[in-house]
Amino acid sequence: MKKKLIIMMFTFFLLCSVNLTGSSALSDGSKVQLASMNEGEYYANSTDIPTWSVGDTWNYAAHIYSETDNGTFDLTTQDLTITVNDIFTVNTHNQTWDTYHVVITGTLSGTFQASILTGDVDGIISGEAFLRRADLSLIYSNVSSSGIITALIFEYDYEITNINDYHIPFEYFDFPIVANEQWNTTSFLTMNSSIYVEDFMDNSSYVTTNTSGSVHCLGTENITTAAGTFETYHLISQDNGSIETWYS
């Protein structure tokens, strides 16, 4: 039996979750001290909203780890691809937004582990998201994956879906981003998700909630990845778990 797997992802390419360690520093190692800046210093230590074009594509190798009451997914992807598919106006919740429509594709491999089942995962991931062009605020996302979980000689169907609908767009970035600046984040979210495991579980949830918090730009840092070395703005939010982001 060939089976399907749907994997949840949220803020999939905007945020990187790690433990908070160290202190912020400029690329030359000096501390960021920007509490009082003149206009020239302000703009030298800030970055404005990027401009995307249809066809722009980002490729990622990523580790996806999700632990829930239903089980634990420990997955990797070597070809997660985010592409700007279109630029158009979206009408939602009695509001009109100028948006980027991005699509997500890729393959997944790894393991799924629960008290009732343990097996190897082989699947694909796909989805879409709408982001407000003015500030990259997230308006809507729908991400899924399909594939096979193999346990011993058996293959099982899984389906997990995650749809996030923001009545108030989620503004994680506050452009222009300025070193040593802090801003509030507020949104109103409807999340519709489900997980189905043939012969084992069939659960779904529908949650509507207000979210609020703050983000702090600690400063600028040089970050080295497989794609190269980049000067970045180091952001931290600790309101709903520790989320750190390096924005280039």
Side-chain angles (χ1 to χ4, degrees), residues 93-168:
H93 306 298
N94 298 317
Q95 299 177 90
T96 301
W97 308 113
D98 187 23
T99 70
Y100 294 110
H101 176 233
V102 301
V103 295
I104 305 104
T105 60
T107 58
L108 295 170
S109 62
T111 60
F112 172 78
Q113 185 172 0
S115 59
I116 54 177
L117 177 69
T118 298
D120 295 323
V121 177
D122 183 17
I124 63 173
I125 189 168
S126 62
E128 64 174 349
F130 292 88
L131 296 99
R132 190 164 60 188
R133 290 181 69 192
D135 53 14
L136 300 187
S137 293
L138 194 57
I139 296 172
Y140 174 88
S141 66
N142 182 354
V143 182
S144 64
S145 169
S146 61
I148 301 169
I149 290 184
T150 303
L152 298 176
I153 61 173
F154 302 102
E155 297 177 344
Y156 297 91
D157 266 356
Y158 280 68
E159 292 189 6
I160 306 174
T161 61
N162 185 242
I163 300 172
N164 293 308
D165 185 7
Y166 295 85
H167 301 242
I168 301 173

Side-chain angles (χ1 to χ4, degrees), residues 39-50:
E39 184 177 3
E41 290 174 322
Y42 179 92
Y43 286 107
N45 292 281
S46 67
T47 185
D48 211 343
I49 178 72

Side-chain angles (χ1 to χ4, degrees), residues 19-25 31 218 221 234 244:
N19 292 326
L20 174 61
T21 58
S23 60
S24 61
K31 296 292 181 180
L218 300 179
E221 296 179 8
H234 185 183
E244 271 187 286

Side-chain angles (χ1 to χ4, degrees), residues 175-221:
F175 292 101
I177 298 174
V178 182
N180 207 35
E181 194 170 64
Q182 184 168 317
W183 57 90
N184 295 325
T185 59
T186 302
S187 187
F188 181 65
L189 165 68
T190 297
M191 182 170 62
N192 194 348
S193 59
S194 65
I195 177 170
Y196 167 76
V197 181
E198 187 177 6
D199 299 329
F200 291 100
M201 67 181 71
D202 188 1
N203 300 327
S204 61
S205 66
Y206 180 87
V207 177
T208 299
T209 182
N210 285 300
T211 63
S212 63
S214 63
V215 180
H216 182 202
C217 179
L218 300 179
T220 58
E221 296 179 8

